[in-house]
Amino acid sequence: MLFKEEHISEETLSAEKNIKEGKKNTFFADVILPVPVEGRFTYRIPAELSEKVQEGARVVVNFGKRRVLTGIVMRVHQEAPQNRQAKYILELLDEQPLVNASQLRFWEWIADYYMCYLGEVMNVALPSGLKLSSLSKVQFNPSFVALQAQYQIPLSAKEQILIDNLVGDNALTFEQIANLLNVKNVYPIIKSLLFKEAIIVFEELKEKYKPKIVKKIRLTKHYLIDIDKLTELLDALALQKRNFSKQQDVILKYLAEIPADAPIATHQQGLPKSAFVKVGISESSLHALIKKGVFEEFEEIVSRFEEYDTLPLKSITLTDYQQEIVSQIEKSFQEKQTVLLHGITGSGKTEMYIDLINKTLDRGQQVLFLLPEIALTTQIVSRLKKVFGAKLGVYHSRFSDNERVEIWKGVWENRFPIVAGVRSSIFLPFNNLGLIIVDEEHDPSYKQYDPAPRYNARDTALILAHIHQAKVLLGSATPSLESYYQAQQGKYGFIKADKRFGDAQLPEIQLVNMSIERKQKTLKYNFSSLMLQAIEENVQKKEQTILFQNRRGFAPHLTCQECSWIPTCINCAVSLTFHLASNELRCHYCGYRESPPASCLNCGSTKIKTVGFGTEKIEDELKLIYPEIVVQRMDLDTTRSKYSYQTIIDDFANQSIDVLVGTQMVTKGLDFDHVSLVGIFDIDRLIHFPDFRSHERTFQLLTQVSGRAGRKDKKGIVLIQTAKPQHPLLQRVISHDYEGFYQDEIAEREKHFYPPFSRVINITVKADEQSLSIEAATELTQKLKAVLGEGRVLGPVPALIEKIRNQYLQNVMIKLERDKINLKAVKQLIKEQTIGLTSNRRYKTLHIVPDVDPM
DNA sequence: AGCACGCCGACT
DNA sequence: GTCGGCGTGCTC
């Protein structure tokens, strides 16, 4: 059992009543299981558990013949399922619910809105440490020896090998057996041996979560009541020569940590064994004293997050301006559930958030602070830590399962009234949320793309807040078109903070005309002369530079100069990216790798060159041009290990790096005091990306990166290399004109009936063969047009990457009016049509994946 | 999604 | 003849 909170549901009460009245009732539980199957599954509650099973508790059940799964009880009732026998619940894992009633409502809403199964929601919502893993294991059947002697049952060679390996209580998992026998499918062998009664199959359940345990030692009672005895012992040890000096060391170390005159309570807390081992004392000398009855060993469950608890807390002071903004937000909250804060970079949004968080906590309510994935490892969290200390729980994908379970527990017990987390932290067991902050609300990482549920944490936060009657603050320097539109329509409150903290100036953004530089041949590799000059001057001034190129690797393609052949991925319809450091070609979609070819595989020519450039090439070229400059790259490839990201950031912050070259990673949540130049490459590709949001993305990205330049008194400079400096979007960027950009873009969206004017549902048809995917998608489109109306259905079109992991993808887009449309009914129609399609024999095997509000 | 069952080809 | 391929159907 994980949690102690008292919770008695009505069902439990009525069960107790029934028992008192001597009624015999059979109870059933509707259980959510982590499987992509429609509906809930009804299990019978064994009599001995009938009082204990509560809604929201985890149970272990059999599902199908083999499988053992962890499920969540949704409802307890007495309605026996009609046309089938309910299986029994095997085990109850929580005496108190793990998931509360508002969470279950929330899960149902998500499954409904995003067109997925409840089990899929359960899968993302629960940290996997809370799910049991079931392992089928195989054991030798001892009575087989007698059977074998009597009937001489024949065994195949493989069966014999397996039996030989099982003797002597050696249970094996199915996977181990597969490896041992070198077969893919172990079931036939298992089945045959089961039939011959040679083996027994059993399920081993494992609770994955393990509390962190520290082994400690403390004085035994004998010494505790009279600590002077310890000094006596020390003297006695001193008299005896031989090896007792080691034991003296132990006692001395103990007294150094906990002086003899320390309070008894301190002595009782003891010392971790590791404290002794650290100073070179061996375990054996410790054990000698344990044997003597001086110390005793004990274990203590500790938090994995203890380290922060001891830091002194800081408080913050708002400037008058920030104070003013905060009161505007509060005033707006009186009328609106949701408020959009358009705060330019450097306006001190974090301080304002902190103030609002404090006020919510003072009211005894919880706060959820959502951040995009990468921003979470950065300064903003350490600032929050300094203010909120042990009250702050951080929920991040780099955390281990065990750590996530501890956050979950902490939220449940309200030890963490404030949580800063990534999108999946909306699933933590809050019971009294007062405020949700969605920072950088425009960030696409709030949307989960794969697997289902394809939810958007920003949008679902509004639902979560509604359930808790809480407020939502959306914050961004570059709000999404959707949110800004809602604010304009008066659906959201709207506050603008356009003064930078300490009156710091906005950076000066300049466009570098690459067409001209190319004509005049003033380019050096991918660097314009202006860019190089700026970098050089900046380094001389001992200032730092960030270079942004939104593409990792060295070059996005290789190509043969003779025949234009391009190496492509064997599983996906993309070219392979060349990585110099590892000297290999890699697919960024499926992870496939191969060595770069020495010669063209098409014509045999050895004239192979790279096309395009990524962060690795920028880094490489810059080092060639200026060998004395310290350049560091920050992208997915250099930040794979747990701490590498932090290391790079620390190195940059303490100025041991001059130039940081990176992808999106350098644009988010980073604040450095000495960056006065930002250089941006290859932006034209982004502007012309075939997606209706490409302009919005580009504007947001450029504004975000630019915000990294200049602090306080220093005005920063941003250089953007482009072949089209006259592009209206870039003009809006250089004049820091979000309003203007919004007006341009919203007009486009209205003209083409894109969100926020319409609602989009994208349907991807996946098949193993191209022709099949096209055929099925075409048929689906026709069916949908018939029920939804011609104009609302577009496509099918091949996905941007037509083949990924050997699956061919076709997209059908559905555009719906915002009002006067029954969304539920539309989704029902879509479901019916997809079911109708897959009932056709030809299309049985293909996958049809709906994505509501795609990004 | 798993996993079982069942019906086909290519091997000891 | 059997092993093991994957198409089909079901899971309370």
Side-chain angles (χ1 to χ4, degrees), chain A residues 373-424:
Chain A
E373 183 76 46
I374 356 186
L376 206 65
T377 36
T378 57
Q379 293 113 327
I380 191 157
V381 171
S382 47
R383 271 157 87 191
L384 293 175
K385 265 271 105 106
K386 280 177 194 149
V387 178
F388 299 106
K391 279 190 208 161
L392 175 73
V394 179
Y395 201 66
H396 189 262
S397 64
R398 291 206 174 194
F399 283 173
S400 71
D401 258 352
N402 284 327
E403 288 168 324
R404 289 183 204 200
V405 175
E406 281 185 22
I407 299 287
W408 182 288
K409 279 170 67 177
V411 171
W412 186 274
E413 290 160 1
N414 214 14
R415 262 189 299 120
F416 299 131
I418 158 150
V419 173
V422 290
R423 61 167 183 257
S424 58

Side-chain angles (χ1 to χ4, degrees), chain A residues 568-584:
Chain A
T568 53
C569 178
I570 52 166
N571 306 312
C572 311
V574 290
S575 64
L576 292 167
T577 302
F578 175 56
H579 287 250
L580 184 72
S582 50
N583 189 35
E584 59 187 5

Side-chain angles (χ1 to χ4, degrees), chain A residues 344-347 477 498-501 503-511 671 675-680 701-720 730-737:
Chain A
I344 60 165
T345 49
S347 57
D498 53 6
K499 264 194 203 161
R500 279 192 126 183
F501 183 79
D503 286 323
Q505 287 175 299
L506 284 169
E508 184 187 328
I509 306 177
Q510 296 169 11
L511 302 175
D671 282 326
V675 176
S676 45
L677 174 66
V678 166
I680 299 167
L701 209 56
L702 290 176
T703 307
Q704 296 278 329
V705 201
S706 304
R708 306 304 121 218
R711 284 280 120 179
K712 292 173 192 153
D713 47 332
K714 274 177 254 162
K715 186 168 178 164
I717 292 180
V718 179
L719 292 181
I720 301 175
L730 294 177
Q731 292 303 320
R732 297 299 187 188
V733 171
I734 59 173
S735 48
H736 303 282
D737 184 10

Side-chain angles (χ1 to χ4, degrees), chain A residues 221-274:
Chain A
K221 252 202 183 133
H222 185 67
Y223 283 84
L224 203 57
I225 25 178
D226 187 1
I227 291 173
D228 290 340
K229 280 193 179 138
L230 204 58
T231 27
E232 284 169 28
L233 177 68
L234 209 53
D235 294 339
L237 286 170
L239 286 176
Q240 306 172 19
K241 295 277 154 69
R242 299 198 305 173
N243 290 328
F244 291 108
S245 62
K246 291 262 169 66
Q247 295 180 23
Q248 283 179 359
D249 287 347
V250 177
I251 297 171
L252 288 172
K253 169 69 185 168
Y254 178 86
L255 289 172
E257 293 286 330
I258 307 177
D261 57 357
I264 296 272
T266 313
H267 282 284
Q268 274 173 330
Q269 280 170 19
L271 284 175
K273 265 181 148 181
S274 57

